[in-house]
Amino acid sequence: QVQLEESGGGLVQPGGSLTLSCTGFRSIIGIHTMGWFRQAPGKERELVARFISGDTTDYADSVKGRVTISRDNAKNTMTLQMNNLKPEDTALYYCNVYSWSRGMDYWGKGTRVIVSS
């Protein structure tokens, strides 16, 4: 059974940095996209950053230049390095993997990021 697990969230001051990690995708076959989404209170879930069909990356305009997605398949880990965080980055951050071969979206339970002074 696939179980994605996020870690690394927390409280950080504006301008600070956090690194989020996701594990648990080793057993998923036919991965088309893998990445990070977030959902702020009262808002819809939105894309933050993702890999598409291998190493192509896609970033939300709101985080470009501040966020870097990376992965280490050998370590079964995907990370999201976030710099110069802003209060509007406050959200629950989810790890996501979409398998084209199974036609399934896999989600973690999320890790909370709070950016506040």
Side-chain angles (χ1 to χ4, degrees):
Q1 183 176 353
V2 174
Q3 196 162 10
L4 300 179
E5 184 171 351
E6 305 93 340
S7 62
L11 173 64
V12 62
Q13 292 187 343
S17 298
L18 278 176
T19 301
L20 306 184
S21 296
C22 171
T23 60
F25 54 84
R26 189 192 306 275
S27 64
I28 301 175
I29 60 173
I31 292 176
H32 178 57
T33 62
M34 56 187 302
W36 294 88
F37 286 72
R38 67 186 181 187
Q39 187 165 19
K43 295 188 177 181
E44 294 186 354
R45 193 173 296 188
E46 64 178 4
L47 172 71
V48 179
R50 63 181 173 180
F51 289 101
I52 303 173
S53 296
D55 293 331
T56 300
T57 55
D58 181 25
Y59 291 90
D61 288 342
S62 59
V63 303
K64 281 181 181 176
R66 301 189 296 119
V67 165
T68 303
I69 189 171
S70 62
R71 67 178 178 210
D72 186 332
N73 291 332
K75 294 182 179 179
N76 189 32
T77 300
M78 177 174 61
T79 62
L80 188 72
Q81 174 67 44
M82 302 190 294
N83 300 318
N84 190 22
L85 284 162
K86 304 176 180 180
E88 51 264 41
D89 294 317
T90 295
L92 192 58
Y93 283 71
Y94 296 93
C95 176
N96 168 262
V97 175
Y98 175 72
S99 167
W100 63 266
S101 62
R102 296 185 176 181
M104 287 185 62
D105 258 321
Y106 298 90
W107 294 93
K109 294 182 179 180
T111 185
R112 190 168 301 279
V113 172
I114 300 173
V115 184
S116 175
S117 55

